Amino acid sequence: MPAVFALADDVALRLVETGDGVALSTALTRNAEHLAPWDPIREPGYATTERQEDFVAEMRAQFATSSAAAFVLTDGAQVIGQATVSHILRGPFLSANLGYWLDAGWTGRGLMTAAVGAIAEFSRDDLGLHRLQAATLERNEPSQGVLTRAGFERIGLAPRYLQIAGTWQDHVLFQRILE
Ligand SMILES: CC(C)(COP(=O)(O)OP(=O)(O)OC[C@H]1O[C@@H](n2cnc3c(N)ncnc32)[C@H](O)[C@@H]1OP(=O)(O)O)[C@@H](O)C(=O)NCCC(=O)NCCS
């Protein structure tokens, strides 16, 4: 994947950069209601520029040690989505978790499907991974659609897997073998 990957005419995918905190804060504030049913309950101040700049710094530090890779989807200076490859484990596992969200105004255009495809290639070619895993709520059909279109397969149901919106909820697990 090039440093800036074109997903559509004006929409790009790239690794997070220092200074993205402002645009991330704006996007998360604008999308608070859209994301709340699918996210853990966020601590007060989560969407502030300061906290998002902390997130960027942490992700860049983890990228430097090959522990994670965080991406933004951008439309010019605006952040319209975000995706993170996290918890990279090496040795015989060579696997990581994938999470993502898209601005409510940018859904329905195939952008996250294209982003996940590019991130899978990046995970194989640049991070040297064998496998990506993603977990969705059973009712999150849009997210399951993204994963299926991007070449992931359903591997099972994990009971009470993640605490989402304040409740431990069952999740459908998906994986993509990258080679
Ligand atoms: C999950 C989420 C990113 C999916 O967004 P999305 O817009 O449905 O996904 P994509 O960007 O890949 O777009 C796919 C949609 O665009 C349509 N589409 C249009 N052009 C397309 C193209 N060239 N390629 C693929 N799909 C295209 C698809 O048909 C699909 O629409 P449909 O579901 O009505 O059939 C979004 O709903 C979201 O951010 N939700 C809240 C956070 C969340 O759930 N995160 C995931 C937690 S597991």
Side-chain angles (χ1 to χ4, degrees):
M1 193 184 108
V4 178
F5 181 83
L7 294 173
D9 283 349
D10 296 322
V11 180
L13 174 75
R14 61 164 172 78
L15 288 164
V16 291
E17 291 171 2
T18 304
D20 282 340
V22 178
L24 276 166
S25 169
T26 304
L28 287 170
T29 303
R30 188 173 57 230
N31 285 283
E33 274 185 41
H34 166 59
L35 299 178
W38 317 107
D39 273 350
I41 291 178
R42 302 299 189 186
E43 289 171 14
Y46 170 78
T48 59
T49 297
E50 186 185 11
R51 291 284 296 283
Q52 289 306 306
E53 206 53 57
D54 288 348
F55 165 76
V56 169
E58 174 63 25
M59 286 297 106
R60 286 176 60 83
Q62 289 198 25
F63 184 67
T65 58
S66 297
S67 306
F71 301 84
V72 280
L73 285 77
T74 60
D75 171 41
Q78 224 194 142
V79 165
I80 61 156
Q82 204 267 310
T84 305
V85 174
S86 65
H87 302 96
I88 294 176
L89 288 176
R90 297 204 174 264
F93 202 37
L94 269 186
S95 186
N97 288 332
L98 174 67
Y100 45 78
W101 59 264
L102 202 53
D103 185 295
W106 289 83
T107 57
R109 306 174 198 208
L111 290 172
M112 193 52 79
T113 299
V116 169
I119 289 168
E121 283 184 23
F122 182 88
S123 298
R124 180 193 63 207
D125 300 340
D126 295 70
L127 302 175
L129 297 182
H130 158 71
R131 173 181 176 273
L132 283 177
Q133 176 172 308
T136 81
L137 288 171
E138 288 182 278
R139 64 179 181 280
N140 197 342
E141 288 171 14
S143 185
Q144 291 171 23
V146 168
L147 294 168
T148 303
R149 282 187 298 270
F152 283 68
E153 62 180 332
R154 182 183 164 129
I155 55 170
L157 183 73
R160 293 169 60 82
Y161 181 71
L162 279 175
Q163 196 179 53
I164 296 295
T167 308
W168 291 103
Q169 301 199 43
D170 299 352
H171 278 70
V172 185
L173 300 185
F174 287 81
Q175 73 172 19
R176 178 169 158 182
I177 301 298
L178 300 172
E179 297 95 1

